[in-house]
Amino acid sequence: MFSTLSTVYRNPPIRVSAIAIFFFGFSGAATSPYLSIIGITELGLSDALYSALILASAVINVSASVLIGIFSDRLGSYRAPMLFACLFGIVGYGLTYAVPTAGIFMASTLLLIPVFGALNSLIFANVRASSKGMAVRDLIAVNSAVRATISLSWVLVPGLVGFFLASRSSMLPAFLLASLSACVCFLLFFFFLPKTDVPPENHANYAFLASLKEIGSRPVLVRVFAIALISAMLHVNSAVLPLVVTGNAGGTVADVGVVVGIVALLEIVFILFWGWFERRSTPVITLAWGGGIYAVYLLLLGFAQTPTHVYALTLVSGLGAAAIISVPITYLQDLIAERAGLGSSLIAVNIFLSGGLSSLLFALGTGISDYSGTSILGALAGLAGTILVLSLDGPLKRGT
């Protein structure tokens, strides 16, 4: 672990990226938990309009991530695109705070904040490009450390923001904090990120349509789908955990908050553990272990009868979740290894696709069973994704 932190510290672009991604995570952690409260309760959006807005925002985010990734590869630098994305965050969050109307909220959520969200993929692309020549085991460790930094922000920020805004009549100041966080990212990139513009020699290979064709190729798509099935378990858990805890398990909303906090803390430690494990194994084997462990957690969650059962599962949940949120980063980047921007944009594609799959699983599960049954269905889907990844690139590898 200490050697990994030393590698991050000694490499200026990676060091800046690690600090910046904490503040990127800060902006999301400060606003996401309260987004529906602000949009529906404070600004008067209907449930249907808010749902459509969130769906459209996700489409814009994945589109922006892919487009900016393609442009960054052609440019041969990620500094300027990251600065560009930061401006969207500064304006989007800041405008919502300064002019709190339904129209501004919708415009920011639909057009500005999703482009800022592309910064996640860009930072990992910059880390990938800055790690050129680095041993694979070191790259894996660095990606794990950077990903753990995001988790750290989600551990610290939501509770702090909730505490400081609890006595206020509005949660809108959270958007001011998010705007300031985006501003910190901009300043970090502007003043401390070295300029390394190295345009590619063959621009034809970096053309827009050629890049989209590369993403749409069968070998890439089937692997992204497999990872999305595994990642969908996290979304299914987010939906069913509060309902199982306060339903079949007989717990309270407070229990939900404590469980989520415990798991978030455990994830930070286990992300570093999986980075260590992955360096001694392979990304596929590591992901298979993580996916299998999390599937076992979801299966057991479906049978939880008391809050104690759920608390006992936090160790299993944190261990499995840490692998699912960290290991796919390197795996997805390696699908288009020569294109840091395009390969890293697959991270956003995976987030979008896994979110869509989890919605289908939730609708199907609640249609044929209850919330516990939905948890079990999510586990089965994750196991299917794990088996698919193993069959494509693991010991069970076959021709594709």
Side-chain angles (χ1 to χ4, degrees):
M1 182 178 74
F2 292 108
S3 61
T4 300
L5 296 177
S6 177
T7 301
V8 172
Y9 179 78
R10 291 197 312 266
N11 189 309
I14 297 177
R15 182 174 67 243
V16 172
S17 296
I19 298 172
I21 208 164
F22 173 83
F23 286 98
F24 170 80
F26 189 113
S27 63
T31 55
S32 293
Y34 314 109
L35 203 61
S36 59
I37 295 175
I38 293 172
I40 297 173
T41 305
E42 294 192 27
L43 300 179
L45 299 183
S46 67
D47 293 343
L49 180 58
Y50 178 79
S51 297
L53 182 66
I54 295 303
L55 175 61
S57 175
V59 173
I60 297 296
N61 172 249
V62 71
S63 301
S65 297
V66 172
L67 292 174
I68 297 176
I70 294 172
F71 174 76
S72 300
D73 288 332
R74 287 181 59 87
L75 189 64
S77 171
Y78 304 94
R79 181 176 179 272
M82 288 193 294
L83 289 169
F84 174 78
C86 288
L87 291 176
F88 275 75
I90 294 169
V91 175
Y93 288 120
L95 198 59
T96 302
Y97 170 73
V99 189
T101 64
I104 292 297
F105 177 84
M106 291 175 63
S108 297
T109 305
L110 182 62
L111 300 175
L112 299 176
I113 295 175
V115 176
F116 175 65
L119 185 61
N120 181 53
S121 298
L122 285 171
I123 289 176
F124 280 106
N126 185 62
V127 170
R128 177 82 175 198
S130 302
S131 304
K132 192 172 184 179
M134 187 179 292
V136 175
R137 56 180 292 172
D138 292 331
L139 173 60
I140 290 170
V142 166
N143 272 341
S144 296
V146 174
R147 182 58 185 82
T149 307
I150 305 178
S151 293
L152 180 61
S153 66
W154 276 87
V155 169
L156 298 176
V157 175
L160 290 174
V161 171
F163 175 78
F164 285 113
L165 299 184
S167 60
R168 292 177 176 265
S169 59
S170 172
M171 299 302 292
L172 278 166
F175 276 78
L176 175 61
L177 295 175
S179 181
L180 293 174
S181 297
C183 188
V184 171
C185 291
F186 181 91
L187 295 175
L188 284 169
F189 297 139
F190 189 84
F191 289 107
F192 301 106
L193 190 66
K195 296 181 180 180
T196 53
D197 299 337
V198 185
E201 295 180 2
N202 189 352
H203 277 279
N205 294 334
Y206 290 73
F208 176 73
L209 291 179
S211 298
L212 290 183
K213 185 177 180 181
E214 197 163 0
I215 288 181
S217 64
R218 181 177 176 272
V220 172
L221 277 183
V222 71
R223 286 167 171 82
V224 171
F225 178 73
I227 298 298
L229 277 174
I230 298 172
S231 299
M233 289 193 290
L234 298 174
H235 298 283
V236 170
N237 178 65
S238 296
V240 302
L241 175 64
L243 301 169
V244 170
V245 170
T246 57
N248 288 3
T252 66
V253 175
D255 289 316
V256 176
V258 174
V259 167
V260 170
I262 292 173
V263 172
L265 282 171
L266 291 172
E267 283 175 1
I268 297 174
V269 177
F270 287 137
I271 284 174
L272 298 177
F273 163 76
W274 285 118
W276 171 86
F277 183 90
E278 190 178 0
R279 296 199 304 274
R280 287 156 178 77
S281 180
T282 67
V284 172
I285 296 300
T286 306
L287 186 58
W289 273 104
I293 290 171
Y294 202 78
V296 169
Y297 155 71
L298 278 182
L299 285 170
L300 294 176
L301 180 65
F303 294 101
Q305 297 296 316
T306 69
T308 303
H309 292 162
V310 180
Y311 280 107
L313 290 173
T314 54
L315 190 65
V316 183
S317 175
L319 182 60
I324 295 174
I325 64 180
S326 61
V327 178
I329 293 171
T330 304
Y331 179 83
L332 291 169
Q333 288 177 324
D334 285 342
L335 295 181
I336 312 178
E338 71 284 358
R339 301 280 301 276
L342 191 63
S344 297
S345 72
L346 294 178
I347 299 171
V349 175
N350 172 56
I351 293 172
F352 175 76
L353 186 57
S354 62
L357 287 172
S358 69
S359 297
L360 292 176
L361 291 169
F362 186 81
L364 177 61
T366 53
I368 62 176
S369 182
D370 55 10
Y371 299 128
S372 295
T374 302
S375 181
I376 295 171
L377 180 63
L380 295 176
L383 284 175
T386 301
I387 293 171
L388 181 55
V389 168
L390 284 171
S391 69
L392 291 169
D393 297 312
L396 305 178
K397 184 178 180 179
R398 57 178 171 78
T400 57

